[in-house]
Amino acid sequence: DTEVTQTPKHLVMGMTNKKSLKCEQHMGHRAMYWYKQKAKKPPELMFVYSYEKLSINESVPSRFSPECPNSSLLNLHLHALQPEDSALYLCASSRSWTGGYSEQYFGPGTRLTVT
Amino acid sequence: AQSVTQLGSHVSVSEGALVLLRCNYSSSVPPYLFWYVQYPNQGLQLLLKYTSAATLVKGINGFEAEFKKSETSFHLTKPSAHMSDAAEYFCAVSGGNAGNMLTFGGGTRLMVKP
């Protein structure tokens, strides 16, 4: 099973709301990622977790707060977002973070609209 | 630093024609190279990957890619396009100090005409 699941599929939130995105994988992967993708652009890396510890934060604004409760779950907590944060948010996982040869498996994404 | 250039943001082919999507990379270390496909409103799906075992890599859905070190290229081909191949295709590189961090090309939208 090479599936990464994400919920919800769509999310509309106001600028004062607090919401969370959820990602889950059961492949035993030890690295998990959050990406942001704007229309007609490649995904941009936001965060990397390796063995449940935050390894990479690509200078993401603090209104995005990641959390890795266990090796299978990854959350992205959202608060006080701006309209320009509207995008497709993708989660991915891979066997490891080091080495470079571990392919990443992507989830279907959450389409976020900030009003 | 690593980089990827995909020549042609849009490629249009007729159904049954050869598909050729171009990818050139820059890397100071032996690269690992990947092709992903993205259908509308979906995530990315891995088509194939190069990890130095064989220069000609076969992937899913009839796609293949050839690693050419001298040309720093990893072009994606398929002998005969199907309507269902219409999608966005991303080439990506990883490796070296970047670990598993993927550096993506800008993407190529493949359109298939009946």
Side-chain angles (χ1 to χ4, degrees), chain A residues 29-113:
Chain A
H29 288 175
R30 303 317 299 265
M32 296 187 76
Y33 311 75
W34 279 116
Y35 288 87
K36 173 183 177 180
Q37 187 180 27
K38 301 286 271 186
K40 303 186 190 304
K41 296 289 186 184
E44 299 172 24
L45 183 66
M46 300 174 72
F47 302 103
V48 179
Y49 272 83
S50 177
Y51 288 86
E52 299 148 53
K53 288 185 168 35
L54 184 63
S55 293
I56 298 283
N57 176 342
E58 291 287 273
S59 303
V60 179
S62 60
R63 56 186 185 269
F64 295 90
S65 175
E67 178 196 20
C68 190
N70 59 56
S71 60
S72 301
L73 276 176
L74 186 65
N75 298 320
L76 186 63
H77 303 297
L78 314 172
H79 173 55
L81 295 193
Q82 303 297 310
E84 59 265 28
D85 296 322
S86 298
L88 181 67
Y89 287 83
L90 295 164
C91 174
S93 71
S94 65
R95 279 195 303 276
S96 70
W97 164 236
T98 58
Y101 49 79
S102 289
E103 63 270 28
Q104 293 184 28
Y105 293 89
F106 285 79
T110 293
R111 175 71 61 188
L112 174 67
T113 303

Coordinates of all heavy atoms in Angstrom, one line a residue, chain A residues 29-113:
Chain A
H29 N 7.0 4.8 6.7 CA 8.0 5.9 6.3 C 8.3 6.7 7.5 O 7.5 7.0 8.4 CB 7.4 6.8 5.2 CG 7.3 6.1 3.9 ND1 6.7 6.6 2.8 CD2 7.8 4.9 3.5 CE1 6.8 5.8 1.8 NE2 7.4 4.7 2.2
R30 N 9.6 7.2 7.6 CA 10.1 8.0 8.7 C 10.3 9.4 8.4 O 10.7 10.2 9.3 CB 11.4 7.4 9.3 CG 11.2 5.9 9.7 CD 9.9 5.6 10.5 NE 9.8 6.3 11.7 CZ 10.1 5.8 12.9 NH1 10.6 4.6 13.0 NH2 9.9 6.5 14.0
A31 N 10.0 9.8 7.2 CA 10.1 11.2 6.8 C 8.7 11.7 6.2 O 8.1 10.9 5.4 CB 11.2 11.5 5.8
M32 N 8.3 12.8 6.7 CA 7.0 13.4 6.2 C 7.2 14.8 5.9 O 8.0 15.5 6.5 CB 5.9 13.1 7.2 CG 5.6 11.6 7.4 SD 4.2 11.3 8.5 CE 2.8 11.6 7.3
Y33 N 6.4 15.3 4.9 CA 6.6 16.6 4.3 C 5.3 17.3 4.2 O 4.3 16.7 3.9 CB 7.3 16.5 2.9 CG 8.5 15.6 2.8 CD1 8.3 14.2 2.8 CD2 9.7 16.1 2.6 CE1 9.4 13.4 2.7 CE2 10.8 15.3 2.5 CZ 10.7 13.9 2.5 OH 11.7 13.1 2.4
W34 N 5.4 18.7 4.3 CA 4.3 19.5 3.9 C 4.7 20.4 2.7 O 5.8 21.0 2.8 CB 3.7 20.4 5.0 CG 2.8 19.8 5.9 CD1 3.0 19.6 7.3 CD2 1.5 19.3 5.6 NE1 1.9 19.0 7.8 CE2 1.0 18.8 6.9 CE3 0.7 19.2 4.5 CZ2 -0.3 18.2 6.9 CZ3 -0.6 18.7 4.6 CH2 -1.1 18.2 5.8
Y35 N 3.9 20.5 1.7 CA 4.2 21.4 0.5 C 3.0 22.3 0.3 O 1.9 21.9 0.6 CB 4.4 20.6 -0.8 CG 5.6 19.8 -0.9 CD1 5.7 18.5 -0.4 CD2 6.7 20.3 -1.5 CE1 6.9 17.7 -0.5 CE2 7.9 19.5 -1.7 CZ 7.9 18.3 -1.2 OH 9.1 17.5 -1.4
K36 N 3.3 23.5 -0.3 CA 2.2 24.4 -0.7 C 2.4 24.5 -2.2 O 3.5 24.6 -2.8 CB 2.4 25.8 -0.1 CG 1.5 26.8 -0.6 CD 1.9 28.2 0.1 CE 1.0 29.3 -0.5 NZ 1.4 30.6 0.2
Q37 N 1.3 24.4 -2.9 CA 1.3 24.5 -4.4 C 0.3 25.5 -4.9 O -0.9 25.3 -4.7 CB 1.1 23.1 -5.1 CG 1.3 23.2 -6.6 CD 1.0 21.8 -7.2 OE1 0.3 21.0 -6.8 NE2 1.7 21.6 -8.4
K38 N 0.8 26.5 -5.6 CA -0.1 27.5 -6.2 C -0.4 27.0 -7.6 O 0.4 26.2 -8.2 CB 0.6 28.9 -6.2 CG 0.9 29.4 -4.8 CD -0.3 29.9 -4.1 CE -0.7 31.3 -4.4 NZ -1.8 31.8 -3.5
A39 N -1.4 27.6 -8.2 CA -1.8 27.2 -9.6 C -0.7 27.3 -10.6 O 0.0 28.3 -10.6 CB -3.1 27.9 -10.0
K40 N -0.5 26.3 -11.4 CA 0.4 26.3 -12.5 C 1.9 26.4 -12.0 O 2.7 26.9 -12.8 CB 0.1 27.4 -13.5 CG -1.3 27.3 -14.1 CD -1.5 28.4 -15.1 CE -3.0 28.5 -15.6 NZ -3.5 27.2 -16.0
K41 N 2.2 26.1 -10.8 CA 3.5 26.1 -10.2 C 3.9 24.7 -9.6 O 3.0 24.0 -9.3 CB 3.6 27.2 -9.1 CG 3.4 28.6 -9.6 CD 4.5 29.1 -10.4 CE 4.3 30.5 -10.8 NZ 5.4 31.0 -11.7
P42 N 5.2 24.5 -9.5 CA 5.5 23.2 -8.8 C 5.3 23.4 -7.3 O 5.2 24.5 -6.8 CB 7.0 23.1 -9.1 CG 7.5 24.5 -9.4 CD 6.3 25.2 -10.0
P43 N 5.3 22.3 -6.6 CA 5.1 22.4 -5.1 C 6.3 23.0 -4.5 O 7.5 22.9 -4.9 CB 5.1 20.9 -4.7 CG 4.7 20.1 -5.9 CD 5.3 20.9 -7.0
E44 N 6.0 23.8 -3.4 CA 7.1 24.5 -2.6 C 7.2 23.8 -1.3 O 6.1 23.7 -0.6 CB 6.8 25.9 -2.4 CG 6.7 26.8 -3.7 CD 6.1 28.2 -3.3 OE1 6.3 28.6 -2.2 OE2 5.5 28.8 -4.2
L45 N 8.3 23.4 -0.9 CA 8.5 22.7 0.4 C 8.3 23.7 1.6 O 8.8 24.8 1.5 CB 9.9 22.1 0.5 CG 10.2 21.3 1.8 CD1 9.4 20.0 1.8 CD2 11.7 21.0 1.8
M46 N 7.5 23.2 2.6 CA 7.3 24.0 3.8 C 8.1 23.4 5.0 O 8.8 24.1 5.6 CB 5.8 24.1 4.1 CG 4.9 24.7 3.0 SD 3.2 24.6 3.4 CE 3.0 25.8 4.7
F47 N 7.8 22.2 5.3 CA 8.3 21.5 6.5 C 8.7 20.1 6.1 O 8.1 19.5 5.3 CB 7.3 21.5 7.6 CG 6.8 22.8 8.0 CD1 5.5 23.2 7.6 CD2 7.5 23.7 8.8 CE1 5.0 24.4 8.0 CE2 7.0 24.9 9.2 CZ 5.7 25.3 8.8
V48 N 9.8 19.6 6.9 CA 10.1 18.2 6.8 C 10.3 17.7 8.2 O 10.9 18.3 9.1 CB 11.5 18.0 6.1 CG1 11.8 16.5 6.1 CG2 11.5 18.6 4.7
Y49 N 9.6 16.5 8.5 CA 9.8 15.8 9.7 C 10.6 14.6 9.4 O 10.2 13.8 8.5 CB 8.4 15.5 10.4 CG 7.9 16.6 11.2 CD1 7.2 17.7 10.7 CD2 8.1 16.6 12.6 CE1 6.7 18.7 11.5 CE2 7.6 17.6 13.4 CZ 6.9 18.6 12.8 OH 6.4 19.7 13.6
S50 N 11.6 14.3 10.3 CA 12.3 13.1 10.2 C 12.3 12.4 11.6 O 12.7 13.0 12.5 CB 13.7 13.3 9.7 OG 14.5 12.1 9.7
Y51 N 11.8 11.2 11.6 CA 11.7 10.5 12.9 C 10.9 11.3 13.9 O 11.3 11.5 15.1 CB 13.0 10.0 13.4 CG 13.6 8.9 12.7 CD1 14.4 9.1 11.5 CD2 13.4 7.6 13.1 CE1 14.9 8.0 10.8 CE2 13.9 6.5 12.3 CZ 14.6 6.7 11.2 OH 15.2 5.7 10.5
E52 N 9.8 11.9 13.4 CA 8.9 12.7 14.2 C 9.5 14.0 14.8 O 8.9 14.7 15.6 CB 8.3 11.9 15.4 CG 7.6 10.7 14.9 CD 7.7 9.5 15.8 OE1 7.4 9.6 17.0 OE2 8.0 8.4 15.3
K53 N 10.7 14.4 14.3 CA 11.3 15.7 14.7 C 11.4 16.6 13.5 O 11.7 16.2 12.4 CB 12.7 15.4 15.3 CG 12.7 14.8 16.6 CD 14.1 14.7 17.2 CE 14.1 14.3 18.7 NZ 13.1 13.4 19.1
L54 N 11.1 17.9 13.8 CA 11.1 18.9 12.7 C 12.6 19.1 12.2 O 13.5 19.4 13.0 CB 10.6 20.2 13.2 CG 10.5 21.3 12.1 CD1 9.5 20.9 11.0 CD2 10.0 22.6 12.8
S55 N 12.8 18.8 11.0 CA 14.2 18.9 10.4 C 14.4 20.1 9.6 O 15.5 20.7 9.5 CB 14.5 17.6 9.6 OG 14.6 16.5 10.4
I56 N 13.3 20.5 8.9 CA 13.4 21.6 7.9 C 12.2 22.5 8.1 O 11.1 22.0 8.2 CB 13.5 21.1 6.5 CG1 14.7 20.3 6.2 CG2 13.4 22.3 5.5 CD1 16.0 21.0 6.1
N57 N 12.4 23.8 8.2 CA 11.3 24.8 8.2 C 11.8 25.8 7.2 O 12.8 26.5 7.4 CB 11.1 25.4 9.6 CG 10.1 26.5 9.5 OD1 9.7 27.1 8.5 ND2 9.6 26.9 10.7
E58 N 11.2 25.8 6.0 CA 11.6 26.7 5.0 C 11.1 28.1 5.1 O 10.4 28.7 4.3 CB 11.1 26.1 3.6 CG 11.8 24.9 3.2 CD 13.3 25.1 2.8 OE1 13.5 25.4 1.6 OE2 14.2 25.0 3.6
S59 N 11.4 28.7 6.3 CA 11.1 30.1 6.6 C 9.6 30.3 6.4 O 9.2 31.3 5.9 CB 11.9 31.0 5.7 OG 13.2 30.8 5.9
V60 N 8.8 29.4 6.9 CA 7.3 29.5 6.8 C 6.8 30.4 7.9 O 7.2 30.3 9.0 CB 6.7 28.1 6.9 CG1 5.2 28.2 6.8 CG2 7.3 27.2 5.8
P61 N 5.8 31.3 7.6 CA 5.2 32.2 8.6 C 4.6 31.4 9.7 O 4.1 30.3 9.6 CB 4.2 32.9 7.8 CG 4.6 32.9 6.4 CD 5.3 31.6 6.2
S62 N 4.7 32.0 10.9 CA 4.2 31.2 12.1 C 2.7 31.0 12.2 O 2.3 30.2 13.0 CB 4.6 32.0 13.4 OG 4.0 33.3 13.3
R63 N 2.0 31.5 11.2 CA 0.6 31.2 11.2 C 0.3 29.8 10.7 O -0.8 29.3 10.8 CB -0.2 32.2 10.3 CG 0.3 32.4 8.9 CD -0.4 33.5 8.2 NE -0.1 33.6 6.8 CZ 0.9 34.4 6.3 NH1 1.6 35.1 7.2 NH2 1.2 34.5 5.0
F64 N 1.4 29.1 10.2 CA 1.4 27.7 9.9 C 2.2 27.0 11.0 O 3.4 27.3 11.2 CB 2.0 27.4 8.5 CG 1.3 28.0 7.4 CD1 1.6 29.3 6.9 CD2 0.3 27.3 6.7 CE1 0.9 29.9 5.8 CE2 -0.4 27.9 5.6 CZ -0.1 29.1 5.2
S65 N 1.6 26.0 11.6 CA 2.2 25.3 12.7 C 2.1 23.8 12.5 O 1.0 23.3 12.6 CB 1.6 25.7 14.0 OG 2.1 25.0 15.1
P66 N 3.2 23.2 12.2 CA 3.2 21.7 11.9 C 3.3 20.9 13.2 O 3.8 21.4 14.3 CB 4.4 21.5 11.1 CG 5.4 22.5 11.6 CD 4.6 23.7 12.0
E67 N 2.8 19.7 13.2 CA 2.9 18.8 14.3 C 2.9 17.4 13.8 O 2.2 17.0 12.9 CB 1.6 19.0 15.2 CG 1.5 18.1 16.4 CD 0.2 18.0 17.0 OE1 -0.8 18.3 16.3 OE2 0.0 17.6 18.2
C68 N 3.8 16.6 14.5 CA 3.9 15.2 14.1 C 3.7 14.3 15.4 O 4.6 14.0 16.1 CB 5.3 14.9 13.5 SG 5.4 13.3 12.7
P69 N 2.4 14.0 15.6 CA 2.1 13.3 16.9 C 2.7 11.9 17.0 O 3.0 11.4 18.0 CB 0.6 13.2 16.9 CG 0.1 14.1 15.8 CD 1.2 14.3 14.8
N70 N 2.8 11.2 15.8 CA 3.5 9.9 15.8 C 4.0 9.6 14.4 O 3.9 10.5 13.5 CB 2.5 8.8 16.2 CG 1.3 8.7 15.4 OD1 1.4 8.5 14.2 ND2 0.1 8.8 16.0
S71 N 4.6 8.5 14.2 CA 5.3 8.3 12.9 C 4.3 8.2 11.7 O 4.8 8.2 10.6 CB 6.1 7.0 13.0 OG 5.3 5.9 13.3
S72 N 3.1 8.0 11.9 CA 2.1 7.9 10.8 C 1.3 9.1 10.6 O 0.6 9.2 9.5 CB 1.1 6.7 11.2 OG 1.7 5.5 11.4
L73 N 1.3 10.1 11.5 CA 0.4 11.2 11.4 C 1.2 12.5 11.3 O 2.3 12.7 11.9 CB -0.4 11.3 12.6 CG -1.7 10.5 12.7 CD1 -2.4 10.6 14.0 CD2 -2.7 10.9 11.6
L74 N 0.7 13.4 10.5 CA 1.3 14.8 10.3 C 0.1 15.7 10.2 O -0.8 15.5 9.5 CB 2.1 14.8 9.1 CG 2.9 16.1 8.8 CD1 4.0 16.3 9.9 CD2 3.6 16.1 7.4
N75 N 0.2 16.8 11.1 CA -0.9 17.8 11.1 C -0.3 19.1 10.7 O 0.9 19.4 10.9 CB -1.5 17.9 12.4 CG -2.2 16.7 12.9 OD1 -2.9 16.0 12.1 ND2 -2.1 16.4 14.2
L76 N -1.1 20.0 10.1 CA -0.7 21.4 9.9 C -1.8 22.3 10.4 O -2.9 22.3 9.9 CB -0.5 21.6 8.4 CG 0.0 23.0 8.0 CD1 1.4 23.2 8.5 CD2 0.0 23.2 6.5
H77 N -1.5 23.0 11.5 CA -2.4 23.9 12.2 C -2.4 25.3 11.5 O -1.3 25.8 11.3 CB -2.2 23.9 13.7 CG -2.2 22.6 14.3 ND1 -3.3 21.8 14.4 CD2 -1.2 21.9 14.9 CE1 -3.0 20.7 15.0 NE2 -1.7 20.7 15.3
L78 N -3.6 25.8 11.3 CA -3.7 27.1 10.5 C -4.4 28.1 11.4 O -5.4 27.8 12.0 CB -4.5 26.8 9.2 CG -4.1 25.6 8.4 CD1 -5.1 25.4 7.3 CD2 -2.7 25.8 7.9
H79 N -3.8 29.3 11.4 CA -4.4 30.4 12.3 C -4.1 31.7 11.7 O -3.0 32.0 11.3 CB -3.9 30.3 13.7 CG -4.3 31.4 14.6 ND1 -5.7 31.7 14.7 CD2 -3.7 32.3 15.3 CE1 -5.8 32.8 15.5 NE2 -4.6 33.2 15.9
A80 N -5.1 32.5 11.5 CA -5.0 33.9 11.1 C -4.3 33.9 9.7 O -3.4 34.7 9.4 CB -4.2 34.8 12.1
L81 N -4.8 33.1 8.8 CA -4.3 33.1 7.4 C -4.7 34.3 6.6 O -5.6 35.0 6.9 CB -4.7 31.8 6.7 CG -4.2 30.5 7.3 CD1 -4.4 29.3 6.4 CD2 -2.7 30.5 7.7
Q82 N -4.0 34.5 5.6 CA -4.2 35.6 4.6 C -4.8 35.0 3.3 O -4.5 33.8 3.0 CB -2.9 36.3 4.3 CG -2.2 36.9 5.6 CD -3.1 37.9 6.3 OE1 -3.6 38.8 5.6 NE2 -3.3 37.7 7.6
P83 N -5.5 35.8 2.5 CA -6.0 35.3 1.3 C -4.9 34.7 0.4 O -5.2 33.7 -0.4 CB -6.6 36.5 0.6 CG -7.0 37.4 1.8 CD -6.0 37.1 2.8
E84 N -3.7 35.2 0.4 CA -2.6 34.7 -0.4 C -2.2 33.3 0.0 O -1.4 32.7 -0.7 CB -1.4 35.6 -0.5 CG -0.8 35.9 0.9 CD -1.3 37.2 1.5 OE1 -2.5 37.6 1.2 OE2 -0.6 37.8 2.3
D85 N -2.7 32.8 1.1 CA -2.3 31.5 1.6 C -3.2 30.4 0.9 O -3.0 29.2 1.1 CB -2.5 31.4 3.1 CG -1.5 32.2 3.8 OD1 -0.3 32.3 3.4 OD2 -1.9 32.8 4.9
S86 N -4.2 30.9 0.1 CA -5.1 30.0 -0.6 C -4.2 29.2 -1.6 O -3.5 29.8 -2.4 CB -6.2 30.7 -1.3 OG -7.0 31.4 -0.4
A87 N -4.3 27.9 -1.5 CA -3.5 27.0 -2.4 C -3.9 25.6 -2.2 O -4.7 25.3 -1.4 CB -2.0 27.2 -2.0
L88 N -3.2 24.7 -2.9 CA -3.3 23.2 -2.6 C -2.2 22.8 -1.7 O -1.0 23.1 -2.0 CB -3.2 22.5 -4.0 CG -3.3 21.0 -3.9 CD1 -4.8 20.5 -3.5 CD2 -2.9 20.3 -5.2
Y89 N -2.5 22.2 -0.6 CA -1.5 21.8 0.4 C -1.4 20.3 0.3 O -2.3 19.5 0.5 CB -1.9 22.2 1.8 CG -1.7 23.7 2.0 CD1 -2.7 24.6 1.6 CD2 -0.6 24.3 2.5 CE1 -2.6 26.0 1.6 CE2 -0.4 25.6 2.6 CZ -1.4 26.5 2.2 OH -1.2 27.8 2.2
L90 N -0.1 19.9 0.0 CA 0.2 18.5 -0.2 C 1.1 18.0 0.9 O 2.0 18.6 1.4 CB 1.0 18.4 -1.6 CG 0.2 18.7 -2.8 CD1 1.2 18.9 -4.0 CD2 -0.8 17.7 -3.2
C91 N 0.7 16.8 1.3 CA 1.5 16.0 2.2 C 2.3 14.9 1.4 O 1.8 14.4 0.4 CB 0.6 15.4 3.3 SG 1.5 14.3 4.5
A92 N 3.5 14.6 1.9 CA 4.2 13.5 1.3 C 5.0 12.7 2.3 O 5.2 13.2 3.4 CB 5.2 14.0 0.2
S93 N 5.4 11.5 2.0 CA 6.2 10.7 2.9 C 7.3 10.0 2.1 O 7.1 9.7 0.9 CB 5.4 9.8 3.7 OG 4.9 8.7 2.9
S94 N 8.4 9.6 2.8 CA 9.4 8.8 2.1 C 10.0 7.9 3.2 O 9.9 8.2 4.4 CB 10.4 9.6 1.4 OG 11.2 10.4 2.4
R95 N 10.7 6.9 2.8 CA 11.3 6.0 3.7 C 12.3 6.7 4.7 O 12.3 6.4 5.9 CB 12.1 4.9 3.0 CG 11.2 3.7 2.5 CD 12.1 2.5 2.1 NE 13.1 2.8 1.1 CZ 12.9 2.9 -0.2 NH1 11.7 2.6 -0.7 NH2 13.9 3.2 -1.0
S96 N 13.1 7.6 4.1 CA 14.0 8.3 5.0 C 14.2 9.7 4.5 O 13.7 10.1 3.3 CB 15.3 7.6 5.0 OG 16.0 7.7 3.8
W97 N 14.8 10.6 5.2 CA 15.1 12.0 4.8 C 16.5 12.1 4.2 O 16.7 12.9 3.4 CB 15.0 12.9 6.1 CG 15.6 14.2 5.9 CD1 16.5 14.8 6.7 CD2 15.3 15.2 4.9 NE1 16.8 16.1 6.2 CE2 16.1 16.3 5.1 CE3 14.4 15.2 3.8 CZ2 16.0 17.5 4.3 CZ3 14.4 16.4 3.0 CH2 15.2 17.5 3.3
T98 N 17.4 11.2 4.7 CA 18.8 11.3 4.2 C 19.0 10.5 3.0 O 18.2 9.5 2.7 CB 19.8 10.9 5.3 OG1 19.5 9.6 5.7 CG2 19.7 11.9 6.5
G99 N 20.1 10.7 2.2 CA 20.4 9.8 1.1 C 20.0 10.4 -0.3 O 20.7 10.3 -1.2
G100 N 18.8 10.9 -0.3 CA 18.3 11.4 -1.6 C 17.7 10.5 -2.5 O 17.0 10.9 -3.5
Y101 N 17.7 9.2 -2.3 CA 17.2 8.2 -3.2 C 15.8 7.7 -2.9 O 15.2 6.9 -3.6 CB 18.2 7.0 -3.3 CG 18.6 6.4 -2.0 CD1 17.7 5.6 -1.2 CD2 19.8 6.8 -1.4 CE1 18.1 5.1 0.0 CE2 20.2 6.3 -0.2 CZ 19.3 5.5 0.5 OH 19.7 5.0 1.8
S102 N 15.3 8.1 -1.7 CA 14.0 7.6 -1.3 C 12.9 8.5 -2.0 O 12.8 9.7 -1.7 CB 13.8 7.7 0.2 OG 14.6 6.8 0.8
E103 N 12.1 7.8 -2.9 CA 11.1 8.6 -3.5 C 10.0 9.0 -2.6 O 9.8 8.4 -1.6 CB 10.5 7.8 -4.7 CG 9.7 6.5 -4.2 CD 10.6 5.3 -4.2 OE1 11.9 5.5 -4.0 OE2 10.1 4.2 -4.3
Q104 N 9.4 10.2 -2.9 CA 8.3 10.7 -2.0 C 7.0 10.3 -2.6 O 6.8 10.4 -3.8 CB 8.4 12.2 -1.9 CG 9.7 12.7 -1.2 CD 9.7 14.2 -1.0 OE1 8.7 14.9 -1.0 NE2 10.9 14.7 -0.9
Y105 N 6.1 9.9 -1.7 CA 4.8 9.6 -2.1 C 3.8 10.7 -1.6 O 3.9 11.1 -0.5 CB 4.3 8.2 -1.5 CG 5.1 7.1 -2.0 CD1 6.3 6.6 -1.5 CD2 4.6 6.4 -3.2 CE1 7.0 5.6 -2.0 CE2 5.3 5.3 -3.7 CZ 6.5 4.9 -3.1 OH 7.2 3.8 -3.6
F106 N 3.0 11.2 -2.5 CA 2.2 12.4 -2.2 C 0.8 11.9 -2.0 O 0.2 11.0 -2.6 CB 2.2 13.3 -3.4 CG 3.5 14.1 -3.5 CD1 4.7 13.5 -4.1 CD2 3.6 15.4 -3.0 CE1 5.8 14.3 -4.1 CE2 4.8 16.1 -3.1 CZ 5.9 15.6 -3.7
G107 N 0.1 12.7 -1.1 CA -1.3 12.6 -0.9 C -2.1 13.4 -1.9 O -1.5 14.1 -2.8
P108 N -3.4 13.3 -1.9 CA -4.2 14.0 -2.9 C -4.3 15.5 -2.7 O -4.8 16.2 -3.6 CB -5.6 13.3 -2.8 CG -5.6 12.8 -1.4 CD -4.2 12.5 -1.1
G109 N -3.9 16.0 -1.5 CA -4.0 17.4 -1.2 C -5.2 17.9 -0.6 O -6.3 17.2 -0.6
T110 N -5.1 19.0 0.0 CA -6.3 19.8 0.6 C -6.3 21.1 -0.1 O -5.3 21.9 -0.1 CB -6.1 20.0 2.1 OG1 -6.2 18.8 2.8 CG2 -7.2 21.0 2.6
R111 N -7.4 21.4 -0.8 CA -7.6 22.7 -1.5 C -8.1 23.7 -0.4 O -9.2 23.6 0.0 CB -8.6 22.5 -2.6 CG -9.0 23.8 -3.3 CD -7.9 24.4 -4.2 NE -7.5 23.5 -5.2 CZ -6.4 23.6 -6.0 NH1 -5.6 24.7 -5.8 NH2 -6.1 22.8 -6.9
L112 N -7.3 24.7 -0.1 CA -7.6 25.6 0.9 C -7.9 27.0 0.3 O -7.2 27.5 -0.6 CB -6.4 25.8 1.9 CG -6.5 26.9 2.9 CD1 -7.6 26.6 3.9 CD2 -5.2 27.2 3.6
T113 N -9.1 27.5 0.7 CA -9.5 28.9 0.3 C -9.6 29.7 1.5 O -10.4 29.4 2.4 CB -10.8 28.8 -0.5 OG1 -10.6 28.0 -1.6 CG2 -11.1 30.2 -1.0

